[in-house]
Amino acid sequence: MPLTDTTLRNLKSDGTPAKLADSEGLYLYLSPSGGKLWRMDYRYGGKRKTLSFGAYPAVSLKDARRKRDKAKELLANDIDPGAQKKAARAEAVVAAREKALTFAVVAEEWFATKRDSYAAANIKKKRWLISLLNERIGEKPISTLTPGDILSAIRPVEAAGHLVTAHGLAQTAGQICRFARTCGYTVFNPADGLREVLKPVQTQHYAALTDPAAVGHLLRCIDEYQGSAVVGYALKILPYLALRSAELRGGRWSEIDLDKALWIVPAARRQNARDGGGMKMRVAHSVPLSTQAVRLFRELHLLTGTGELCFPGRHSATQCISDMALLNGIRRMGFSKEEMTVHGFRAMFSTILNEKKLEWGFDADIIEAQLAHKEQNAVRDAYNHASYLEKRRELLQRWANYLDELRAKV
């Protein structure tokens, strides 16, 4: 006799397993622990199988019969209801996982794998770019993102005239989506090709003095600099070495061997000195020191050698001088932003030496190695930096002598 709601409400389990039949194969299984489970036995492919519909009273008698009828309909169409239920459960798990893998979640996972390869300033910039993307698409599952979704997050920035940021957003979105595709979170990269549809960025070169007479005038002005002594020495040393500002400013005495005339700038430094955090490319860089540079460092050592930093700030021995301090020094000497910048010392080095490489007998690769521009081939990069060391020592000494010649030409 079919079960009724009244029978089920009054049903008590005595701890003995039992089956209470309803109709058309549906029954209520009483477990030893007191559970009341809806089940249905059926045959498919010559095998006896059992289908579970849930527990009473969460699943009512009416719902259990409805599930039984649906299962019987599937059997009538030669479909195994148990296999379909298992497949549906797997699909639900996948769907839930895809829903949880939002752009913001994947971006955080990607960033965690990459942050050690970025300098401190670049870490902050990447965080900012990711936050801008998250404002628009952060909550969207990455598997559902389209190129239009990502473009909609970039277009407002582009429309505001911030083209460099717009291209940075496209690049960052592409890095995250490529990571997602590789990890199997999505089947294609929706950010692929986005930079091609953005307005191009007009390259702005750093202002730099490259005319020999102007360079000589600059060097004489640096010699007569009346500001901070530490800033003055940084400005005097910078032209000889062609280092990036952060690489120079964050220098530690422990990195420099004046007897061997060699400074090994590490790939990374402790982040306690503003942005003087090591090499931009995160690869250690050996810098030969000319006799002029060694002399200046020995003089500087008398001022700051008792501390860790070569160029400590005025208000803290644990923080190096800032890039703005160097820039203000250049402005204080009367050079406008259209004439000279801090980065301009590298541009000066590169421009003049590339013009003189044939005359002086140096290969362009030697110049690039000194500038620590990253080789695409990591093995060749390491080989070049090691094998070019003595050549770079010759180059820097020739360069230092040349600067002294320009300084002397009034």
Side-chain angles (χ1 to χ4, degrees):
M1 184 175 179
L3 296 172
T4 66
D5 287 326
T6 301
T7 301
L8 292 170
R9 282 194 297 270
N10 296 328
L11 185 63
K12 303 292 183 182
S13 174
D14 60 3
T16 303
K19 291 183 179 180
L20 301 180
D22 180 52
S23 59
E24 301 182 53
L26 178 67
Y27 61 91
L28 188 72
Y29 173 71
L30 301 180
S31 71
S33 61
K36 303 173 183 179
L37 310 173
W38 292 112
R39 291 180 177 177
M40 169 186 161
D41 293 334
Y42 67 99
R43 295 189 68 81
Y44 186 86
K47 296 182 179 179
R48 182 179 180 280
K49 299 186 177 185
T50 299
L51 192 62
S52 298
F53 295 141
Y56 177 85
V59 177
S60 66
L61 175 59
K62 182 178 180 180
D63 287 340
R65 287 172 176 170
R66 179 178 55 79
K67 291 180 183 236
R68 174 204 61 194
D69 293 342
K70 185 175 180 179
K72 293 177 73 67
E73 182 180 341
L74 291 173
L75 285 168
N77 288 285
D78 197 27
I79 299 173
D80 183 351
Q84 188 184 71
K85 181 180 179 182
K86 185 177 181 180
R89 187 183 298 115
E91 289 177 4
V93 170
V94 171
R97 178 171 174 268
E98 290 181 347
K99 186 177 181 181
L101 285 171
T102 62
F103 179 87
V105 168
V106 177
E108 189 63 29
E109 183 179 344
W110 167 80
F111 189 70
T113 68
K114 296 294 183 182
R115 65 174 302 146
D116 289 345
S117 65
Y118 289 123
N122 287 337
I123 289 176
K124 185 177 181 180
K125 182 177 180 180
K126 276 295 181 185
R127 279 287 190 197
W128 176 63
L129 290 172
I130 290 172
S131 71
L132 292 180
L133 290 168
N134 284 342
E135 288 177 8
R136 295 264 182 164
I137 59 175
E139 297 304 313
K140 292 189 176 184
I142 200 162
S143 62
T144 67
L145 281 179
T146 66
D149 291 330
I150 301 176
L151 196 57
S152 69
I154 299 174
R155 285 296 194 200
V157 176
E158 181 189 45
H162 306 305
L163 300 185
V164 173
T165 301
H167 279 262
L169 290 171
Q171 179 188 45
T172 302
Q175 291 170 324
I176 294 168
C177 291
R178 282 194 298 275
F179 172 80
R181 183 185 61 190
T182 303
C183 292
Y185 301 156
T186 184
V187 295
F188 78 105
N189 177 4
D192 188 31
L194 282 184
R195 297 176 74 180
E196 297 176 10
V197 302
L198 298 176
K199 295 177 183 178
V201 176
Q202 299 299 320
T203 303
Q204 292 184 338
H205 296 285
Y206 291 99
L209 297 174
T210 57
D211 176 74
V215 172
H217 173 63
L218 171 65
L219 295 174
R220 289 190 294 274
C221 289
I222 292 175
D223 288 341
E224 298 171 2
Y225 181 70
Q226 298 298 311
S228 160
V230 174
V231 172
Y233 272 102
L235 291 172
K236 290 177 183 178
I237 293 171
L238 191 55
Y240 289 121
L241 305 185
L243 285 171
R244 296 177 180 89
S245 171
E247 296 159 6
L248 178 94
R249 292 182 291 103
R252 272 72 167 168
W253 288 112
S254 60
E255 302 166 359
I256 302 174
D257 189 330
L258 293 178
D259 293 330
K260 294 182 179 179
L262 185 66
W263 181 1
I264 299 180
V265 183
R269 296 177 174 128
R270 298 196 310 275
Q271 303 306 316
N272 66 341
R274 294 196 179 112
D275 56 346
M279 295 300 297
K280 178 181 178 181
M281 298 301 179
R282 319 313 285 161
V283 176
H285 183 43
S286 298
V287 183
L289 302 177
S290 63
T291 57
Q292 292 89 332
V294 169
R295 174 180 56 78
L296 289 169
F297 269 118
R298 290 194 186 281
E299 292 175 6
L300 177 63
H301 192 268
L302 297 175
L303 293 175
T304 67
T306 57
E308 178 186 18
L309 296 171
C310 300
F311 304 98
R314 179 173 296 178
H315 303 294
S316 174
T318 61
Q319 288 190 329
C320 69
I321 57 174
S322 68
D323 193 60
M324 188 57 67
L326 293 181
L327 186 60
N328 287 339
I330 294 172
R331 299 290 173 263
R332 185 171 181 173
M333 292 183 293
F335 297 93
S336 69
K337 63 181 181 181
E338 289 77 24
E339 293 177 301
M340 192 61 185
T341 60
V342 178
H343 195 84
F345 287 103
R346 283 171 60 81
M348 175 198 299
F349 178 90
S350 178
T351 301
I352 296 177
L353 283 181
N354 274 291
E355 291 175 353
K356 288 187 169 291
K357 61 187 177 185
L358 295 179
E359 177 188 343
W360 288 7
F362 288 101
D363 190 279
D365 286 347
I366 306 295
I367 301 171
E368 290 299 295
Q370 181 55 38
L371 289 166
H373 286 160
K374 185 71 171 178
E375 272 278 4
Q376 292 301 311
N377 184 312
V379 174
R380 181 183 174 192
D381 178 57
Y383 173 79
N384 284 350
H385 277 76
S387 64
Y388 289 160
L389 183 60
E390 289 309 311
K391 286 287 187 180
R392 290 193 289 117
R393 185 179 294 280
E394 294 176 26
L395 175 68
L396 286 179
Q397 188 59 60
R398 182 73 177 270
W399 170 249
N401 294 341
Y402 175 71
L403 292 182
D404 286 354
E405 291 172 9
L406 295 182
R407 178 187 283 106
K409 292 180 181 179
V410 180

